[in-house]
Amino acid sequence: MVTTHSSANPAPTVRVVSAAPKSAAPAAASPLEILLELIRRARSADDAAALRFIAVNDSHLLAPYQQAALWLAEGGVSALSGLVEIEENAPYVQWLNRAAKALATDKARAFTAEDLPENLRAGWGEWLPAHGLWIPFEKSGKVIGGLLLARELAWRELDVRLFHEWMQTWHCAYRVHHRPSSLRAWWQRLRGTSGQSRKRAFVLAIAIAATVAFPVRLSVLTSGELIPANPVAIRAPFDGVIKTFFVRPNQTVKAGDPLFAYDDAQLASKLDVALEALRTAEAEQRQYTQQALTDAKARSALSTAKGTVEEKRLEVEFLQSQLERGKILAPRDGIAFVDDPSEWIGRNVSAGQRVMRLAEPSDQEIESWLPVADAIPLPAGSPARLYLSASPLSPVSGKIEYIAYEASRRPDGHYAYRVRAKLDDATPHRVGSKGTVRLSGGRAPLVYWALRRPIAAVREFLGL
């Protein structure tokens, strides 16, 4: 049924059409049966939009009315009888919003234009029939919405009670389908709570802010191991072939103990040849010495013979020293670090090539590799802790000594910075033990610690 209102003012821009119910109730149905039918429809509704339609249109079954409006504190007028869509800027909708806010503090009751504030009375005759009915619904003691009905006839007390009971049940169904998650809705709920609840919410917000701003150490987990701090490199003194190894891997040696020896067969043959050449040169020198007394030519050849003897003598001394150096001795006490001695036997080595290392058992440090993506600021003296794979409950602590200025390519293909850390205390773990190193830098807020990698990934992706 289309309803128009006569007035001295121009016709309103919105025409309100009362909706007929989806299925009319039997003429002889009692108010209780009608109420149960409306509750059934609310329970069967698919979503919040269907419930809003039922509130402003199907409520007509309880008592006839000409206009209905559903008002919610979160969004204002949400549904109008006879309209599918609402124009929020329409004068009628704006007037209804102001009127509903003025009625929001009241309980369910019938009212007229005289019950509204003076600034709203002038628009009553233009927008609504003579008698209105306000049915609010609450949450935590605060009105969060209501149904406004209007008709020409006065409302009975029975109508007020029936609509109040119906809207309380309707609101329960509506809350099941309508769960606002916006910040505005959260703020509205917070403002609507009691003073004690708001105080708890405020304390909770302060606690959350303090938690995310709590300073924590920036840290990085990377692979690492125990290595000798000041090892002595044992290198090949000259070109040759290794014949014998006198030590085993990780064997403790004393200063002067033999480590390995060259194959001296070739040197020995060279020495024999050099000795024979020396003896020949000495014989020639003696012959020239005897002839020099009577022969002037022999005296001139004598100086050449002396030079030849000296040359051969130096060659013999060099080969003898080579033979002596062919057996490599330990320059200090320590542990011999060599992978597999059998692989060195028979191998041709060049002068300066490293064959093994010697280090004291207690002279250790931590070596780790810092990935380029995790290169947080790590000043010298920052803590480093090595959790060994073989002994995870006995971590090794140390202080960072230095970080390489240039990243090196690792066997896995990634680039990383070499990090060395000096141990705080001696450790019983052997050199070469591997594990995971935790490198700790300066302090930063907890939220930055948690979001550092995502922020870096976003910046890399966006090029900021």
Side-chain angles (χ1 to χ4, degrees):
M1 176 171 63
V2 179
T3 303
T4 60
H5 304 281
S6 61
S7 174
N9 297 328
T13 58
V14 176
R15 300 191 57 171
V16 184
V17 181
S18 62
K22 290 189 290 186
S23 61
S30 65
L32 179 58
E33 291 175 336
I34 297 174
L35 181 61
L36 291 177
E37 170 64 17
L38 289 175
I39 293 175
R40 184 192 65 77
R41 294 184 184 183
R43 189 171 58 247
S44 303
D46 295 330
D47 51 27
L51 281 169
R52 290 193 293 268
F53 180 87
I54 292 173
V56 296
N57 293 294
D58 291 6
S59 298
H60 192 274
L61 296 175
L62 278 178
Y65 54 81
Q66 293 169 275
Q67 295 173 223
L70 178 65
W71 177 82
L72 299 175
E74 293 181 3
V77 176
S78 300
L80 290 173
S81 57
L83 291 181
V84 178
E85 295 184 359
I86 300 175
E87 178 58 49
E88 295 182 0
N89 296 323
Y92 174 60
V93 176
Q94 293 179 356
W95 184 89
L96 281 178
N97 275 322
R98 295 195 300 272
K101 289 179 181 179
L103 295 168
T105 58
D106 294 343
K107 295 184 178 179
R109 68 185 182 95
F111 67 97
T112 62
E114 299 300 325
D115 298 314
L116 290 178
E118 187 174 352
N119 62 331
L120 296 175
R121 295 175 189 172
W124 180 282
E126 180 181 358
W127 304 119
L128 294 180
H131 297 276
L133 179 62
W134 171 249
I135 309 295
F137 42 86
E138 303 177 351
K139 182 179 180 182
S140 302
K142 182 176 178 61
V143 175
I144 61 172
L147 180 67
L148 192 153
L149 305 172
R151 69 181 185 180
E152 295 293 344
L153 298 177
W155 294 95
R156 301 173 299 170
E157 182 63 26
L158 177 61
D159 297 332
V160 177
R161 294 169 58 187
L162 286 173
F163 276 105
H164 180 266
E165 188 65 30
W166 156 234
M167 288 310 297
Q168 301 312 307
T169 306
W170 177 91
H171 182 229
C172 292
Y174 187 74
R175 289 176 60 184
V176 173
H177 292 282
H178 182 67
R179 298 181 180 274
S181 58
S182 63
L183 182 61
R184 178 183 176 184
W186 177 86
W187 177 248
Q188 291 288 350
R189 291 195 298 269
L190 181 61
R191 292 182 60 185
T193 56
S194 63
Q196 187 68 22
S197 300
R198 278 182 289 185
K199 182 178 180 181
R200 287 197 297 268
F202 179 75
V203 172
L204 178 61
I206 293 297
I208 294 175
T211 301
V212 299
F214 185 79
V216 296
R217 280 190 177 275
L218 288 177
S219 59
V220 173
L221 296 178
T222 182
S223 60
E225 64 176 315
L226 284 175
I227 64 170
N230 299 291
V232 175
I234 307 300
R235 302 182 181 278
F238 52 86
D239 297 346
V241 177
I242 295 178
K243 179 181 180 181
T244 308
F245 244 89
F246 300 103
V247 296
R248 298 184 303 275
N250 299 329
Q251 178 182 334
T252 302
V253 298
K254 300 292 184 180
D257 289 350
L259 301 177
F260 62 91
Y262 278 84
D263 185 357
D264 58 357
Q266 186 176 5
L267 284 175
S269 63
K270 288 183 178 181
L271 179 60
D272 291 341
V273 173
L275 287 174
E276 185 64 27
L278 177 60
R279 287 192 287 269
T280 302
E282 289 176 342
E284 291 180 354
Q285 180 186 5
R286 288 193 296 271
Q287 181 180 359
Y288 285 127
T289 301
Q290 293 175 357
Q291 295 176 355
L293 296 174
T294 58
D295 189 354
K297 184 182 291 187
R299 283 197 297 271
S300 61
L302 181 60
S303 59
T304 302
K306 289 181 179 180
T308 303
V309 170
E310 187 64 25
E311 178 184 353
K312 299 301 181 181
R313 184 179 292 111
L314 291 174
E315 185 177 355
V316 169
E317 291 176 356
F318 172 75
L319 292 174
Q320 288 176 343
S321 66
Q322 289 285 79
L323 282 174
E324 294 174 358
R325 294 170 59 197
K327 180 178 288 188
I328 311 302
L329 306 180
R332 54 176 283 186
D333 298 347
I335 297 178
F337 295 104
V338 59
D339 292 335
D340 187 1
S342 62
E343 293 185 358
W344 289 96
I345 296 176
R347 180 186 294 183
N348 190 12
V349 294
S350 304
Q353 182 178 351
R354 191 183 73 180
V355 179
M356 66 174 65
R357 292 184 298 172
L358 288 180
E360 295 182 2
S362 60
D363 189 21
Q364 301 178 13
E365 66 181 6
I366 300 173
E367 181 186 59
S368 61
W369 294 90
L370 180 63
V372 174
D374 291 326
I376 62 175
L378 293 171
S382 299
R385 176 165 290 191
L386 172 61
Y387 297 89
L388 297 169
S389 300
S391 183
L393 299 181
S394 301
V396 180
S397 300
K399 297 290 188 299
I400 294 177
E401 285 191 318
Y402 76 91
I403 301 177
Y405 75 94
E406 185 178 3
S408 303
R409 187 179 180 88
R410 302 289 294 146
D412 58 2
H414 295 86
Y415 284 86
Y417 299 95
R418 185 194 300 270
V419 181
R420 291 288 182 89
K422 185 178 181 180
L423 299 185
D424 294 335
D425 301 302
T427 175
H429 303 292
R430 69 178 184 85
V431 173
S433 299
K434 299 181 181 295
T436 301
V437 179
R438 180 180 180 180
L439 304 175
S440 301
R443 295 188 179 275
L446 178 62
V447 63
Y448 177 78
W449 174 85
L451 300 179
R452 181 180 61 86
R453 291 298 295 273
I455 291 174
V458 170
R459 291 194 62 183
E460 182 178 354
F461 177 77
L462 298 178
L464 298 178

